Amino acid sequence: MRGRLGITVRGTVQGVGFRPYVYRLARRHGLGGWVRNSTGPVEIEVEGEEEALDRFLADLEERPPPLARIEEVRSRRLPPTGTTTFVILDSRPRPGDFQSVSPDAATCSDCLAEILDPRNHRYRYPFTNCTNCGPRFTVIESLPYDRPLTTMRRFTMCERCRREYEDPQDRRFHAQPNACPDCGPHLSMLIEEAVTALRRGRIVAVKGLGGYQLACDAGNEEAVARLRRRKHRPRKPLAVMMLEPERYCSVAAEEWQALRSPAAPIVLLRYRGGLAPSIAPGLRELGVMLPYTPLHHLLVRDFGGPLVMTSGNLSEEPICREDAEAQQRLGGIADLFLGHDRPIAARYDDSVVRWAAGALRVIRRARGLAPEPLPFCASPPLVATGAHLKSAFTVARDGRAFVGPHVGDLDDLLTVQAFEEQLERYLHLFSVRPERIACDLHPDYTSTRIAERLGEPVRVQHHHAHVASVAAEHSLRPPLVGVALDGVGLGPDGTIWGGEVLVLEERGFRRVAHLEPVPLPGGDVCAREGWRMAAAYGLESPPEGVDPRRWHLVRQLAGSGRSPLSSSLGRLFDAVASLCGVAQVSTYEGEAAALLEAACEDEGDVIKVELEENRRLFSEMAARQRRGEPAGRLAATFHASLARAIVRACQRTGLRTVALSGGCFQNRRLLEATVDGLREAGLEPYANERVPANDGGISLGQAWVAAWQ
Ligand code: ZN
Ligand code: ZN
Ligand code: FE
């Protein structure tokens, strides 16, 4: 019996070699028909024996190509027409529809073998790619994903590349960025020159996939110190690209898997040492990535050791995308520019992940991860603009949420422009006409003003959004307990929140427990000068390294009743880090807390306090410190006591499901102790995985709240 099926496939099926795969599959099963891309699903018609049609459908769903993610396959019967040949048709627009395109993918093993093989036509060619790897979102200007709509359109394929592109048996069949040394992009200088400069301790700006990066010898302290000075980044850890992470770090199986995944993110690994001391000062973790483009492979291999590979920007500005922009903004930092003539369509920083509490957790969602869609609840098309720090937006439609890439803190014009540029791009690429807008409750955030320009926004309280981001990720249904612990977010009562236990309801939330608010003497500056919080918490004499005169002024200010109040856990971390002598000032967000976590030495002790008794917890710690308890033990005790207090606060609600979010849960020790404690108490904890627990994940929660309205 002959039959014909019309099939539509949704999911990440563009830019992953899906059409050639369907072509080969249809031929293998002896089927006729066609396949084509659209701006919506991939469309297929196949005709042949019924049995063959069944096997074709089963293979399609069960054995897709490596980068594809199938979300939905629909088929319907059609009258047979007698076709026996199978063809790939031209793409077809479907106005208003949308598709997911694969994020950029790390160089595959086949392509790597080619660039390392002296007899291969692509030997040492830095732009080698195929349907299983290479640039995607960073070259796409518009959809459907076809070469004329990418930044590769200016390169005309040579005879040889075209033959590969048109040969269904070839790995490069319909590989849109296909290129070779005869026809593709070229570097602005020899890799050898860059390597020589790196060996001499110079700083080289490298044009990567989603923007410029700054590279230097990770083993050369002088070079690393110079990079820090020029980049105005005194202490924030620097990521390192290397071939053999196991030489410097302990790497668990799950971490290897993350390192070698097509997303090839920076993975925070337990660092054993061996590189320049100022790579990650005071921390026990190192951000490591493997080379993920042919250019990186050649650079790291020729150099023969680990290279610092950090975003090409001045601290907190967006990563540089255009050549002229890079020359201008990075001119004072880099000694040399290793550029090329393939334009970058969109800025994408490197993503950062960490394995903690039994799951891989995203800390910065960008290259290789965005814009992979997350399953989302039913909602009208919507946009959420996030908060202020680590900004990222979410656009959602048809049960999917696209969380945009990390852009940076919305403090300066450049970052705001980059944010708006990306938002416009996502709205266009996914044909989203937002009917609902969501933003933070804070009236002065730039993200709030951007939302107001788009319509009348739903204003979502910061910690409500944090907790909702976990509900969205894990498809949890309210009511549930939410624990939101971070540095700062505006509460509906006008005070600054940040140590909150909420009950998340279908519409809205109830605040059921929180840290007792303490004054922030000097306001926002407390996040940088953590010792001020030790004063606010009542520490009597100034910690070492703090000017006694300023200390006494701040103590007076804290007691004057003129300082804003905050229930922030981040600020309690600052106070304790100051008390322990671990950090008096922070040069990047969360530095004091990160150093306090790294300082923990044993299991610590448990001080039995409730979450609201943060003042008592601090004074008990101060008493122990006076008795000479070492900082490493104090730090551990602090984490253990806090985890216990959180578990107790959750238990009091009588609910079982707990969502943990907020930047403080990036702290592995706190997260793991809390999760363990909750499980022991018979509760069911969930935490962020695919979006950051920090403010980079907050737009997903805002979107969820707006969807439930
Ligand atoms: Zn490849
Ligand atoms: Zn070519
Ligand atoms: Fe936050």
Side-chain angles (χ1 to χ4, degrees):
M1 258 291 278
R2 265 181 93 75
R4 189 176 179 95
L5 291 177
I7 304 169
T8 54
V9 185
R10 284 195 182 269
T12 304
V13 288
Q14 315 272 357
V16 296
F18 199 74
R19 286 173 299 170
Y21 158 79
V22 170
Y23 177 94
R24 287 191 291 266
L25 196 63
R27 300 257 300 219
R28 189 167 347 120
H29 292 295
L31 303 173
W34 52 261
V35 57
R36 75 176 161 208
N37 251 350
S38 75
T39 46
V42 165
E43 302 168 338
I44 305 168
E45 287 193 14
V46 277
E47 177 168 341
E49 290 303 317
E50 290 290 350
E51 262 180 34
L53 289 174
D54 288 346
R55 274 182 276 124
F56 172 85
L57 260 185
D59 280 353
L60 191 67
E61 292 187 60
E62 284 155 29
R63 277 190 282 276
L67 295 179
R69 265 168 218 265
I70 293 182
E71 289 170 10
E72 179 194 284
V73 178
R74 279 194 198 172
S75 61
R76 61 185 201 288
R77 307 219 132 254
L78 298 169
T81 62
T83 345
T84 53
T85 54
F86 196 90
V87 290
I88 296 182
L89 299 181
D90 286 341
S91 301
R92 185 175 80 96
R94 284 167 65 122
D97 209 335
F98 75 105
Q99 60 178 200
S100 314
V101 178
S102 161
D104 295 16
T107 305
C108 73
S109 53
D110 291 331
C111 287
L112 181 61
E114 289 177 340
I115 62 168
L116 298 180
D117 175 6
R119 287 156 312 176
N120 193 283
H121 175 52
R122 287 189 173 84
Y123 178 54
R124 291 184 65 80
Y125 181 58
F127 302 94
T128 303
N129 66 83
C130 73
T131 52
N132 298 322
C133 76
R136 296 288 185 275
F137 237 78
T138 54
V139 295
I140 291 173
E141 289 173 331
S142 193
L143 293 174
Y145 177 51
D146 276 326
R147 188 160 171 127
L149 298 179
T150 71
T151 62
M152 284 299 290
R153 72 190 136 87
R154 69 193 58 205
F155 302 99
T156 309
M157 273 187 266
C158 67
E159 252 327 277
R160 193 170 183 155
C161 286
R162 176 143 303 274
R163 271 204 305 277
E164 296 168 332
Y165 185 86
E166 287 170 357
D167 175 5
Q169 306 306 326
D170 197 280
R171 207 173 85 244
R172 298 197 166 91
F173 183 47
H174 283 239
Q176 307 303 342
N178 188 24
C180 83
D182 298 335
C183 64
H186 281 281
L187 293 179
S188 62
M189 110 177 39
L190 293 173
I191 291 178
E192 289 80 351
E193 281 178 69
V195 167
T196 307
L198 289 167
R199 288 219 178 96
R200 290 188 184 139
R202 302 275 152 77
I203 296 162
V204 178
V206 180
K207 188 173 179 182
L209 274 180
Y212 274 82
Q213 293 166 311
L214 292 163
C216 75
D217 180 353
N220 180 336
E221 177 57 29
E222 223 176 285
V224 176
R226 191 176 317 121
L227 174 61
R228 286 197 172 282
R229 224 169 26 247
R230 292 188 187 167
K231 204 170 136 76
H232 304 303
R233 180 166 164 150
R235 294 173 58 88
K236 195 174 177 187
L238 295 165
V240 183
M241 184 178 272
M242 58 174 83
L243 282 171
E244 301 168 306
E246 70 280 13
R247 283 186 60 180
Y248 305 94
C249 302
S250 324
V251 194
E254 294 88 356
E255 291 165 338
W256 272 121
Q257 212 181 337
L259 285 164
R260 291 176 175 145
S261 67
I266 295 169
V267 183
L268 299 181
L269 302 173
R270 280 165 219 259
Y271 179 43
R272 289 198 308 264
L275 297 173
S278 69
I279 285 275
L283 301 178
R284 296 187 191 192
E285 282 184 326
L286 182 67
V288 173
M289 61 185 144
L290 300 179
Y292 57 83
T293 68
L295 175 58
H296 290 127
H297 273 288
L298 295 169
L299 206 54
V300 170
R301 276 159 210 269
D302 288 2
F303 179 73
L307 288 173
V308 166
M309 197 64 73
T310 185
S311 317
N313 53 12
L314 268 165
S315 59
E316 307 314 324
E317 281 186 356
I319 187 168
C320 289
R321 175 166 75 92
E322 275 160 29
D323 301 328
E325 177 196 13
Q327 296 278 354
Q328 189 207 338
R329 283 170 53 205
L330 305 180
I333 307 177
D335 299 303
L336 210 63
F337 281 79
L338 178 57
H340 59 70
D341 54 357
R342 184 181 75 202
I344 295 171
R347 284 173 224 270
Y348 275 77
D349 238 309
D350 290 313
S351 291
V352 181
V353 305
R354 174 197 275 127
W355 177 262
L360 199 66
R361 301 180 193 277
V362 172
I363 290 170
R364 184 162 79 195
R365 189 180 156 85
R367 175 192 53 78
L369 298 176
E372 202 184 289
L374 310 182
F376 193 66
C377 53
S379 77
L382 59 82
V383 172
T385 55
H388 182 72
L389 299 174
K390 302 183 163 58
S391 63
F393 54 78
T394 292
V395 303
R397 63 169 290 180
D398 299 284
R400 286 166 190 82
F402 301 89
V403 181
H406 163 92
V407 180
D409 303 346
L410 294 178
D411 282 321
D412 60 278
L413 194 62
L414 278 174
T415 317
V416 174
Q417 279 168 354
F419 183 89
E420 290 182 302
E421 180 187 297
Q422 287 280 21
L423 178 56
E424 219 166 277
R425 192 175 138 77
Y426 270 55
L427 290 175
H428 166 71
L429 290 180
F430 302 116
S431 311
V432 178
R433 287 216 190 81
E435 287 168 24
R436 212 170 276 178
I437 323 288
C439 66
D440 197 273
L441 194 60
H442 202 304
D444 301 333
Y445 282 173
T446 309
S447 56
T448 301
R449 286 199 286 272
I450 292 171
E452 285 165 346
R453 280 207 296 277
L454 292 168
E456 180 50 52
V458 177
R459 294 167 204 271
V460 186
Q461 198 279 324
H462 190 92
H463 303 94
H464 183 196
H466 266 310
V467 168
S469 74
V470 178
E473 267 201 71
H474 297 278
S475 308
L476 304 176
R477 286 191 73 87
L480 53 96
V481 199
V483 184
L485 305 175
D486 67 358
V488 45
L490 181 66
D493 59 0
T495 69
I496 300 159
W497 290 14
E500 313 302 317
V501 179
L502 314 172
V503 169
L504 185 69
E505 291 164 339
E506 277 193 19
R507 287 157 194 248
F509 69 94
R510 276 183 296 128
R511 190 188 194 197
V512 293
H514 57 85
L515 265 62
E516 186 198 333
V518 295
L520 300 178
D524 290 345
V525 71
C526 291
R528 267 175 287 133
E529 299 186 349
W531 60 266
R532 287 171 180 261
M533 292 312 299
Y537 266 97
L539 185 67
E540 276 163 27
S541 40
E544 219 177 282
V546 176
D547 172 27
R549 273 210 334 265
R550 291 188 72 201
W551 173 264
H552 288 294
L553 286 173
V554 167
R555 283 260 299 176
Q556 272 170 15
L557 184 58
S560 68
R562 282 184 288 116
S563 297
L565 292 174
S566 172
S567 57
S568 164
L569 181 66
R571 296 299 79 81
L572 175 59
F573 262 98
D574 293 341
V576 174
S578 167
L579 168 77
C580 296
V582 165
Q584 302 306 337
V585 292
S586 289
T587 63
Y588 57 91
E589 199 210 359
E591 178 177 3
L595 292 171
L596 191 67
E597 184 190 3
C600 290
E601 246 154 37
D602 49 30
E603 286 311 299
D605 198 7
V606 174
I607 300 172
K608 292 186 176 160
V609 292
E610 303 298 337
L611 195 65
E612 299 80 355
E613 297 176 296
N614 40 312
R615 281 181 177 279
R616 195 155 82 75
L617 175 58
F618 186 88
S619 47
E620 177 64 28
M621 301 238 350
R624 291 178 181 220
Q625 195 260 347
R626 277 195 305 274
R627 290 200 296 270
E629 207 166 291
R633 182 161 179 83
L634 280 173
T637 298
F638 176 64
H639 283 78
S641 310
L642 205 53
R644 176 183 174 276
I646 295 166
V647 172
R648 287 174 63 83
C650 293
Q651 280 180 302
R652 290 202 303 261
T653 65
L655 292 163
R656 262 195 86 212
T657 309
V658 182
L660 307 173
S661 192
C664 295
F665 281 116
Q666 280 173 124
N667 182 314
R668 187 203 301 257
R669 198 178 181 97
L670 181 64
L671 177 68
E672 293 184 343
T674 306
V675 164
D676 289 349
L678 288 168
R679 291 213 175 109
E680 272 164 40
L683 305 187
E684 230 177 90
Y686 294 87
N688 293 108
E689 294 175 23
R690 297 179 70 184
V691 300
N694 62 46
D695 288 2
I698 217 158
S699 62
L700 180 67
Q702 293 171 343
W704 187 92
V705 173
W708 278 78
Q709 284 256 319

